DNA sequence: CAATTTTTGATTTACGTACATCAAAAACTG
DNA sequence: CAGTTTTTGATGTACGTAAATCAAAAATTG
């Protein structure tokens, strides 16, 4: 069926050894011969059998995922997805390691990247923090021939191969136009709860949101909750008290456990709330009607996409860009995916 | 690293040949011996190296996709995705064939299934038509040990292994609650444009929609456009003329090219329109503001999921149910994925 | 217990590729 | 043209599994 190295050798009129030299870029092949072999490869449409090659090489892909510590539920979901994917891809000779570093600590992140490089991994995926030290570490990794994917949060000016995450400006715009549609003609100002305006993701979401909210709508000064549930609860409780005619609230960061508690206490019915990331807390908010919509980036997709891209880079194989695009999911109470069971419980085994 | 058949043989104190007999269910192994080998397998946590096994077997998976003909854009997208996935999985020794049968023709569909079985494929994915002949054909395929996945449209009472598609009742509910939120207090009745009430998918979507629309809202009698753009255009144009106070319109089937034309002609601003499936037509409707939201099932996900499930079944390997769930996507003008280029143009090649 | 059947072991080949070794041939030196 | 270097061929082993063969050992039968 598919052509093999033997077919190439025959077609090019050379030995197997020479084909091997050409295929694997080994020295001591004349230009003419190399051209003949390459022509045969092109003619026959040969593609290397990666499975057989890996078997022969005894190759084991080793990928490092570097994630921030802390109680941000989304990050913990991400970590769970990374752990979950490990068994799934072990069949493909892929090993996935995780290192957890303090959040927003560029120095420690850069160190973790360097450590992974030193450990000899063939690919790294990391939740990036915008910082020169991190950019330098990424560039060092790339210079060492290691594939690099930024996860969730990007640094476009670095040498990373790929970004596995969403367009946060578009996410903000989506939230803004949904908010505008949900509010309709209803009067009243809109509040925004963010983690910190020093985070690029949060700034971008806010910018997109404001652009789509509509000129006639008053946008209150941004509340910064540091992604901390307790602070978020205090801030939201306070603004609800002080702004009786508040029409909408956009929570573009984390700490939504506090948001939901504050909403439940206030018992405001008419308030339109839009939040980010589908977590147990926001899911509960959707179910109880306290939250109108949740924008989400699928952590599982991001992790799987990162692994696919890292593997493709390591194999030197092209990848389907379209499949690797991470979508901005909109969830309302009626299109919620079923709650994920405990890891391992969601495997259906085969009867026969 | 990972244990091999040699390790099992050593651990169980038997020869390689006996391990092979146990692993592949060959005869002539005493119960005691078989138990010893199985204990060793369990102890060591051995899992067969599928890549190596397939290499040795020279196995080629052959899957058949059976799709309806016609100009339904979603089905054509589905076909394009199937063709697109072919190269992608050829590296995994998977070959994917497509047969196109007349739409809604149960007899021809059943014949196509039987033909695929006769051709010796190891798995079949088909857009099912609810019919006893089809159920019987699926059951024959399963009896022949062939994996079967229903695609987009399910027949739950058949012996199929899996359904790769969305929960249409939930999709209808989602459309209903979005419609209710978008309309707010605005008065006026809501119309529904369906393909045919004989289709289960369409009935389910309507049922879910009506359930979430709210008691105070008048739902006009369903318009049946037979998924035909010309008919849809006529029906929508007519109802817009006859119902000046129409507040909302839910298009739950195909033929949306006609819907968009009728909307553009009428130029109604306030009308809230929700449609299904992201096609060039509905995308244009979103961009121009004629359509407020589009519910979508990702054809690419469905095809890839079907292939994964078929392969897992053929390998006798468990699969991650959570990953195979097809989501109900909500698209508004701001979270539209970039338009897919021509097939083949969306591959980014690797520099090195 | 001899004859027969079943079970087990030992060994080999194959899949498609990677990689190493050694000899032979060809191409360059001076 | 002898000597040197480069290029090429021939061959073997390995990866982890499948599958086949034949002999040896064990169990079962009458």
């Amino acid at each position: 069926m598919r052509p093999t190295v033997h077919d190439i050798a025959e077609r090019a009129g050379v030995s197997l050894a020479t084909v091997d030299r050409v295929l694997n870029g080994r020295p001591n092949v004349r230009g003419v011969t190399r051209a003949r072999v390459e022509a045969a490869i092109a003619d026959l449409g040969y593609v290397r059998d990666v499975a057989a090659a890996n078997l022969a090489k005894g190759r084991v892909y080793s990928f490092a995922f570097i994630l921030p510590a802390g109680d941000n539920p989304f990050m913990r979901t991400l970590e769970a997805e990374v752990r979950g994917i490990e068994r799934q891809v072990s069949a493909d000779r892929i090993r996935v390691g995780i290192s957890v570093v303090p959040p927003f600590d560029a120095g420690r992140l850069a160190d973790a990247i360097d450590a992974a490089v030193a450990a000899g991994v063939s690919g790294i995926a990391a939740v990036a923090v915008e910082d020169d030290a991190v950019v330098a570490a990424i560039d060092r990794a790339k210079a060492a021939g290691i594939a690099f994917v930024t996860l969730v949060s990007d640094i476009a000016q670095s040498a990373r191969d790929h970004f596995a995450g969403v367009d946060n400006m578009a996410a903000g715009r989506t939230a803004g136009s949904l908010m505008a549609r949900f509010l309709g003609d209803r009067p009243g100002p809109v509040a925004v709860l963010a983690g910190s305006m020093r985070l690029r993701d949060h700034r971008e979401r806010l910018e997109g949101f404001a652009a789509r909210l509509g000129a006639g709508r008053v946008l209150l000064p941004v509340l910064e909750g540091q992604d901390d549930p307790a602070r978020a609860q205090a801030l939201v409780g306070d603004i609800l008290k002080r702004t009786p005619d508040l029409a909408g609230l956009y929570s573009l960061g984390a700490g939504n456990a506090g948001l939901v508690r504050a909403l439940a206490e206030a018992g405001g019915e008419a308030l339109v709330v839009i939040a980010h990331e589908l977590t147990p807390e926001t899911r509960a908010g959707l179910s109880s009607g306290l939250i109108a919509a949740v924008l989400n980036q699928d952590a599982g997709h991001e992790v799987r996409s990162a692994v696919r891209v890292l593997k493709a880079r390591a194999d030197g194989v092209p990848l389907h860009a379209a499949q690797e695009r991470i979508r901005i999911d909109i969830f309302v109470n009626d299109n919620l995916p079923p709650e994920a069971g405990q890891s391992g419980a969601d495997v259906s085994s085969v009867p026969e």
Side-chain angles (χ1 to χ4, degrees), chain A:
Chain A
M1 327 247 147
R2 271 175 53 182
T4 73
V5 282
H6 295 86
D7 300 322
I8 299 176
E10 198 179 348
R11 172 96 174 203
V14 300
S15 77
L16 226 54
T18 300
V19 174
D20 179 69
R21 289 177 184 117
V22 172
L23 274 176
N24 296 294
R26 294 183 227 284
N28 296 333
V29 183
R30 253 191 316 170
V32 213
T33 315
R34 165 161 284 129
R36 272 230 309 285
V37 172
E38 276 163 356
I41 291 174
D43 287 357
L44 296 173
Y46 170 83
V47 278
R48 190 197 304 257
D49 184 328
V50 181
N54 287 341
L55 179 60
K57 277 195 282 209
R59 167 169 205 169
V60 178
Y61 301 87
S62 172
F63 298 147
F65 275 72
I66 307 177
L67 309 174
D71 57 0
N72 182 329
F74 178 73
M75 293 303 170
R76 300 285 68 79
T77 302
L78 207 61
E79 184 177 347
E81 290 287 348
V82 176
R83 294 198 191 284
I85 207 176
E86 213 165 352
R87 316 163 289 200
Q88 209 181 338
V89 299
S90 68
D92 300 328
R93 299 190 151 64
I94 299 176
R95 281 193 308 199
V96 177
I98 304 180
S99 48
V100 175
V101 297
F104 312 127
D105 186 334
R108 299 286 293 275
L109 173 54
D111 290 348
I113 293 172
D114 288 334
V117 172
V121 302
S122 43
I124 302 175
V127 178
V129 175
E130 270 196 315
D131 188 279
D132 289 343
V134 177
V135 172
I138 294 178
D139 294 353
R140 278 194 294 276
K142 282 307 301 172
I146 296 175
F148 204 106
V149 170
T150 49
L151 201 61
V152 180
S153 167
D154 191 23
I155 309 186
Q157 71 269 28
S158 71
R160 90 284 188 279
D161 295 289
H162 182 75
F163 167 51
V166 299
D167 177 345
N168 283 299
M169 194 80 81
R173 283 198 300 269
T174 304
S177 60
L178 276 181
M179 179 66 80
R181 279 213 181 259
F182 283 175
L183 288 177
D185 308 325
R186 205 177 325 159
V190 169
V192 172
L193 173 68
S196 161
M197 280 301 100
R198 290 180 328 178
L199 297 175
R200 161 185 280 257
D201 305 6
H202 290 194
R203 285 199 311 274
E204 288 182 347
R205 286 178 184 175
L206 176 61
E207 187 180 339
F209 182 75
R212 280 290 186 281
L213 194 57
R217 184 72 60 179
V218 173
L219 192 58
L220 300 178
V222 173
L223 310 170
E224 296 188 60
Q226 308 301 328
D227 286 355
D228 175 53
R231 291 197 195 199
Q233 182 173 5
L235 285 169
V236 172
D238 184 57
I239 195 118
L240 287 174
K241 220 172 291 170
R242 292 191 307 156
T243 321
D245 64 334
L246 191 70
L249 175 60
Y250 175 39
S251 167
L252 53 75
N256 286 322
L259 166 75
V260 172
R261 279 198 296 270
L263 291 172
E265 258 177 37
E269 307 274 297
L271 187 68
V272 173
V273 179
I274 296 179
H276 268 270
E277 314 314 351
L278 191 65
T279 63
E281 293 79 27
T282 56
R283 179 184 281 272
L286 279 176
S287 298
S288 64
L290 291 172
I291 298 180
V294 168
L295 304 195
N296 184 65
Q297 51 185 319
D298 193 296
H301 280 195
E302 291 179 332
V303 171
R304 285 188 289 271
S305 175
V307 170
R308 272 196 303 268
V309 171
L310 289 177
K311 182 171 185 324
R313 282 304 198 221
D315 284 339
V317 148
L319 56 91
H320 278 241
Q323 193 186 337
E324 307 307 337
R325 188 107 33 189
I326 306 298
R327 284 188 314 220
I328 300 163
D329 303 323
I330 302 174
F331 289 118
V332 296
N333 190 28
D334 294 291
N335 70 332
L336 280 175
E339 202 136 11
Q342 294 303 345
S343 72
D346 57 344
V347 247
S348 90
S349 64
V350 180
E352 66 188 291

